[in-house]
Amino acid sequence: MKTATPALARAINDRLALDLMLEHGPLTAPQLRTMTGLSRPTVSDLVERLTTEGLIEVTGESGGDRRGPKARLYGLIAERAHVAGVDLRRYAAHVEVADITGRQAGSAHRDIPSGPLAEVVAEAVTEAAGGHALQTIVIGAPGLVDPRTGLGSDPLTGPECDGLVPGWRSDLRQAVESLVGVPVVLENEVNLASIAEHRAGAAAGHDDFALLWLDDGVGAGVVLGGRLRRGASGGAGEVGLLNIDGETFCDLVETAGTEATVLADRIVKGVFALVAVLDPGLVVLGGGIGRTGGDALAAMVAERLDALSPAPAEIRATTVEGNAILRGAVLTALDLARDEIYG
């Protein structure tokens, strides 16, 4: 077994310290020693190195309420980088910009259609950025996104209930990238909502779960072994296409109305398919219907599932605050930016 080189060991220690500051906020050198188990000289060198590289700075002092020397607090330089997340829906584009710590730095909204789609998205991103240079942009959109090419599905072949965007073009990622001059990632919107649910919602702490998205379009996001599963062509989780009783599952849900018992009767058919194939142990009901139905709808679906499935599965309503797609887009963009900047 090979041991880490000094350079690799320094890189690992640096990233560990940066991640701790992301999680806990500003920390003193003694706190870093306690949390990392590193020696005093190693932490001293680490702090000096990260300060010189423009990644952290002194943000204050600790121990202001007691006598004796005060320890310096070191925190991340929030302005080191900014990212943008985009929720691209059938009627509008919503954009949020965040600094490297995840704090919101700007937002924008554009109605669709109000011009060529790539230009509309680029204009909204530029407005939200407010003059900040962006490190990366992540766009969440309906339909399949090929994980190998980054190309989106053609609206002529996509299912109607996917809610594909007017003016859609399969090379949207490349078109927006050429306009803003910043790396752009295109991702299925339910996949991004699943990331948000895993990190900050009802699926936190679960390595295996499925998010059933019930909104402007119906689909599912699949997380197994703690990793988002896209499938070979980006089609994993497209349960809206299932033919159930002569109709697509998407149509069954969208024509169910607001009666809770009718909704539960129809939703459980898609949930059962996910549980029968994946056995995820947890299914989260997301989107507008999942949020509005809440725990009551989740309980009704769970009761119906128990009568159908030999594999147990907990049913929960989404708990992500705000726009789950936008939250997942920003989280994904932050992961990419931090890996690039922090190593």
Side-chain angles (χ1 to χ4, degrees):
M1 181 180 296
K2 294 182 179 180
T3 59
T5 64
L8 178 58
R10 287 193 295 270
I12 292 172
N13 292 339
D14 289 355
R15 184 60 190 264
L16 176 59
L18 291 164
D19 285 343
L20 286 170
M21 291 179 193
L22 282 169
E23 181 179 358
H24 299 284
L27 297 169
T28 64
Q31 288 173 325
L32 284 171
R33 291 199 299 271
T34 299
M35 291 179 174
T36 62
L38 298 173
S39 67
R40 181 188 297 268
T42 299
V43 169
S44 178
D45 290 345
L46 176 154
V47 167
E48 182 178 358
R49 187 165 55 249
L50 295 180
T51 302
T52 301
E53 292 174 358
L55 299 179
I56 66 173
E57 63 185 351
V58 176
T59 61
E61 294 180 331
S62 69
D65 57 347
R66 59 182 174 83
R67 294 181 180 180
K70 301 176 179 61
R72 290 180 175 180
L73 281 166
Y74 296 94
L76 300 173
I77 297 179
E79 297 295 307
R80 182 64 175 77
H82 289 79
V83 302
V86 181
D87 173 19
L88 188 58
R89 311 309 299 277
R90 202 178 333 201
Y91 307 109
H94 304 278
V95 182
E96 181 179 319
V97 168
D99 65 30
I100 196 69
T101 68
R103 182 178 57 199
Q104 183 174 333
S107 62
H109 168 94
R110 284 288 191 283
D111 291 332
I112 295 174
S114 59
L117 186 58
E119 283 80 352
V120 170
V121 173
E123 289 171 3
V125 167
T126 300
E127 178 187 338
H132 293 297
L134 296 176
Q135 189 78 16
T136 190
I137 300 166
V138 173
I139 301 173
L144 277 62
V145 178
D146 192 315
R148 298 162 299 183
T149 65
L151 294 174
S153 59
D154 190 322
L156 297 177
T157 61
E160 289 184 7
C161 61
D162 260 356
L164 288 164
V165 181
W168 177 262
R169 47 191 294 180
S170 60
D171 65 341
L172 181 69
R173 180 191 71 78
Q174 294 88 338
V176 173
E177 193 170 271
S178 68
L179 290 170
V180 297
V182 175
V184 175
V185 173
L186 180 67
E187 179 63 272
N188 173 268
E189 91 278 33
V190 182
N191 284 346
L192 293 177
S194 300
I195 290 171
E197 205 70 59
H198 195 206
R199 299 269 285 273
H206 289 259
D207 285 341
D208 302 310
F209 77 96
L211 170 68
L212 182 59
W213 186 256
L214 306 163
D215 204 284
D216 180 21
V218 173
V222 178
V223 173
L224 298 175
R227 295 180 59 190
L228 179 68
R229 305 294 175 167
R230 298 176 176 84
S233 60
E238 289 294 332
V239 293
L241 297 172
L242 288 174
N243 189 309
I244 300 174
D245 301 329
E247 294 186 79
T248 64
F249 177 57
C250 177
D251 288 338
L252 280 178
V253 172
E254 291 190 343
T255 59
T258 58
E259 175 59 42
T261 56
V262 176
L263 268 173
D265 287 341
R266 298 190 179 190
I267 289 170
V268 74
K269 296 179 180 182
V271 171
F272 175 57
L274 289 169
V275 172
V277 174
L278 301 174
D279 188 18
L282 170 65
V283 177
V284 178
L285 305 182
I289 293 175
R291 186 180 300 279
T292 302
D295 293 339
L297 178 61
M300 294 175 70
V301 173
E303 181 181 6
R304 287 156 173 77
L305 180 66
D306 286 343
L308 294 173
S309 175
E314 185 178 0
I315 310 298
R316 296 182 183 178
T318 178
T319 58
V320 175
E321 296 182 5
N323 185 325
I325 297 169
L326 200 54
R327 183 80 175 273
V330 171
L331 286 171
T332 301
L334 284 170
D335 286 345
L336 294 170
R338 289 166 182 169
D339 283 348
E340 183 175 349
I341 293 171
Y342 294 160

